[in-house]
């Protein structure tokens, strides 16, 4: 009984800490209508990171989408909500976007709700694993989808698997594979699978 209480207490404490450091995602599961296939057509460049700057590179990509020139490396230097190891919490991305005058939301949803958000025409930053069998986490913008694939603007060069500058994406992931990457749930992070950050003008 003592062990059970300790585990429950530990989960409660870690959830409170995560809520402060990361903010809690808003659950959204209502299915809405969206096109079967969609790809954001607005031109944008895809830069590659060297270390653990995916949050900054994803944020820079989103800022460029809204017409604000930004570079991931420069943004990362003073990025908020950064750990000692150099990783960034979702809260940091939202803080930077808000400071640039954008409205943000952090959602927990499904493939359907993700597709719906992308179909609005703005890249959506997802929180995924770098590899399905590893715990290293990664932020990356989703820029399109169809029945089989999710299309990403990938800042990790070794994960890029599609090379066509005119398409606006450099990585396509089968949806079943994407679902495994999107499942980031751990005992100390129970509520962060299937989460994504949206941005819009105020």
């Amino acid at each position: 009984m003592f062990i059970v209480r300790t585990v429950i207490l530990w989960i409660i404490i870690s959830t409170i800490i995560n809520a402060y450091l990361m903010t809690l995602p808003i659950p959204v599961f209502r299915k809405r209508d969206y096109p079967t296939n969609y790809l954001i057509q607005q031109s944008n460049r895809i830069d590659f990171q060297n270390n653990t700057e995916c949050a900054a590179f994803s944020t820079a990509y989103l800022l460029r989408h809204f017409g604000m020139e930004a570079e991931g490396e420069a943004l990362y230097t003073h990025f908020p909500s950064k750990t000692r190891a150099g990783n960034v919490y979702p809260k940091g991305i939202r803080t930077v976007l808000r400071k640039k005058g954008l409205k943000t939301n952090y959602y927990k949803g499904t493939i359907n709700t993700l597709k719906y958000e992308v179909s609005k025409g703005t890249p959506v930053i997802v929180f995924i694993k770098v590899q399905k069998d590893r715990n290293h986490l990664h932020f990356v913008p989703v820029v399109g989808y169809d029945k089989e694939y999710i299309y990403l603007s990938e800042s990790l060069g070794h994960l890029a698997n599609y090379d066509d500058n005119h398409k606006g994406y450099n990585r396509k992931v089968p949806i079943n594979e994407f679902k495994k990457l999107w499942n980031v749930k751990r005992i100390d992070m129970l509520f962060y699978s299937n989460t994504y950050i949206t941005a819009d003008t105020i």
Side-chain angles (χ1 to χ4, degrees), residues 34-53:
Y34 53 81
T36 306
N37 307 318
Y38 189 84
L39 185 64
I40 294 169
Q41 298 296 332
Q42 186 171 323
S43 61
N44 200 336
R45 72 174 188 273
I46 302 173
D47 295 336
F48 291 119
Q49 67 187 81
N50 294 312
N51 296 299
T52 56
E53 309 104 336

Side-chain angles (χ1 to χ4, degrees), residues 126-140 152 154 156 159 171 173 177-186 189 192-193:
V126 289
F127 193 28
I128 61 174
K129 294 177 184 175
V130 175
Q131 294 173 268
K132 62 184 177 184
D133 55 348
R134 301 276 181 90
N135 280 332
H136 301 298
L137 301 178
H138 183 45
F139 294 106
V140 63
L152 309 173
E154 180 57 69
L156 284 171
L159 293 178
R171 183 181 177 194
V173 183
E177 188 76 15
F178 180 83
K179 286 178 179 177
K180 294 172 187 173
L181 296 173
W182 208 19
N183 180 17
V184 301
K185 184 166 59 181
R186 300 194 306 238
M189 272 177 42
Y192 295 90
S193 288

Side-chain angles (χ1 to χ4, degrees), residues 7 11 30 36 67 105 133 164 198:
V7 169
I11 289 171
R30 181 182 167 197
T36 306
N105 283 298
D133 55 348
D164 185 341
T198 65

Side-chain angles (χ1 to χ4, degrees), residues 4 11 20 27 56 61 116 122 175:
V4 173
I11 289 171
Y20 172 73
Y61 187 89
Y116 169 73
T122 299
I175 287 175

Side-chain angles (χ1 to χ4, degrees), residues 140-168:
V140 63
V142 176
V143 295
Y145 62 83
D146 57 29
K147 286 183 177 178
E148 296 178 61
Y149 293 96
I150 298 292
Y151 297 93
L152 309 173
S153 292
E154 180 57 69
S155 59
L156 284 171
H158 70 278
L159 293 178
N161 61 11
Y162 190 89
D163 186 15
D164 185 341
N165 292 331
H166 302 294
K167 289 290 186 184

Side-chain angles (χ1 to χ4, degrees), residues 10-69:
W10 187 77
I11 289 171
I12 291 170
I13 291 169
S14 65
T15 300
I16 291 168
I17 292 170
N18 283 333
Y20 172 73
L21 293 174
M22 301 170 69
T23 70
L24 283 172
I26 301 164
V28 51
F29 300 107
R30 181 182 167 197
K31 187 174 180 181
R32 300 179 185 228
D33 292 334
Y34 53 81
T36 306
N37 307 318
Y38 189 84
L39 185 64
I40 294 169
Q41 298 296 332
Q42 186 171 323
S43 61
N44 200 336
R45 72 174 188 273
I46 302 173
D47 295 336
F48 291 119
Q49 67 187 81
N50 294 312
N51 296 299
T52 56
E53 309 104 336
C54 60
F57 275 68
S58 296
T59 303
Y61 187 89
L62 211 54
L63 291 173
R64 292 195 297 271
H65 175 84
F66 286 101
M68 294 176 256
E69 176 51 35

